[in-house]
Amino acid sequence: MSESPSIAPQETPTIGPGRLVLVVGPSGAGKDTLLGLAKAALTEDHDAVFPRRIVTREASAAEDNVSVTPDEFRRGLDHGDFAAHWDAHGLSYALPIEINDDIRAGRTVIVNVSRKVIGVLRRAYANVVVVAITAPPDVLAQRLAARARRSDGNIQERLERHVDDAEAHAEVTIVNAGSADYHSRQLVRVIRNECCRE
């Protein structure tokens, strides 16, 4: 499998008119928590779509992913089942191809992705908004230690990881160090296009 992020071939220059909201941030920032709360708050909003990522990791209560084996992932890749895919931390991740139909229908698709795939997605989709969720280093370290997930690897290395890419710049940053309910409402405002960009 390629280490480079990739998207599915497409006929049009960019996919739109709907919005693609990319949620990024370091491990332990609380991305999945805020996404879960935002999804619950937008249950009745059929124009907000929270697709499940495909990941070569066992499912957990903290993440709403589709868990597949590496062989199943390769088959999905070969069959064109993914809108985009990338590798990170020794795992393979993908977004389902159905998000393209949602975006073409004018919906807002909200996904948790790696920063290294942002550039590829900015070139593939017409309306991309990047939301960075972060927290102070001591908070990140506490959260990573508390969840003790094997795939997290060395905590210090994860805290020091940095992506130096202008295309990875976030339009909105949420510092998730206080109330998760409050910060999830910030995310909901971005999803509804009610929040100003930086």
Side-chain angles (χ1 to χ4, degrees):
M1 242 171 288
S2 168
E3 288 294 319
S4 300
S6 178
I7 61 160
Q10 57 197 48
E11 297 171 9
T12 57
T14 56
I15 299 170
R19 298 165 68 232
L20 181 60
V21 176
L22 304 177
V23 175
V24 300
S27 297
K31 299 181 297 290
D32 290 314
T33 297
L34 297 191
L35 281 166
L37 291 169
K39 181 178 179 180
L42 294 167
T43 301
E44 300 301 317
D45 185 343
H46 301 294
D47 286 328
V49 179
F50 293 81
R52 296 173 70 202
R53 294 183 308 176
I54 298 96
V55 185
T56 56
R57 172 173 58 213
E58 290 183 17
S60 74
E63 297 177 308
D64 188 21
N65 295 323
V66 176
S67 177
V68 297
T69 66
D71 285 343
E72 289 170 332
F73 192 93
R74 277 189 287 274
R75 283 196 294 275
L77 195 55
D78 291 343
H79 293 151
D81 295 341
F82 307 146
H85 67 91
W86 65 97
D87 294 317
H89 318 304
L91 301 170
S92 296
Y93 296 78
L95 302 178
I97 194 71
E98 292 79 12
I99 71 168
N100 292 345
D101 293 334
D102 287 316
I103 290 175
R104 288 185 181 108
R107 299 183 187 98
T108 298
V109 173
I110 307 95
V111 290
N112 174 359
V113 300
S114 167
R115 282 185 180 272
K116 69 181 183 179
V117 78
I118 292 172
V120 172
L121 294 172
R122 283 196 192 277
R123 290 187 292 277
Y125 295 89
N127 193 355
V128 175
V129 177
V130 177
V131 180
I133 296 176
T134 190
D138 60 321
V139 174
L140 294 175
Q142 288 170 3
R143 290 176 182 166
L144 285 172
R147 78 182 186 187
R149 198 167 61 189
R150 207 174 24 169
S151 62
D152 284 339
N154 183 291
I155 291 175
Q156 191 59 39
E157 286 177 9
R158 289 196 83 136
L159 292 173
E160 292 171 357
R161 191 172 289 130
H162 175 69
V163 175
D164 188 17
D165 183 350
E167 291 181 317
H169 173 75
E171 283 80 16
V172 177
T173 299
I174 296 172
V175 180
N176 183 24
S179 160
D181 286 333
Y182 172 76
H183 296 306
S184 70
R185 288 194 297 273
Q186 289 180 299
L187 179 57
V188 166
R189 286 196 296 274
V190 176
I191 293 167
R192 289 180 169 157
N193 210 13
E194 297 171 351
C195 180
C196 299
R197 297 181 180 189
E198 286 183 334

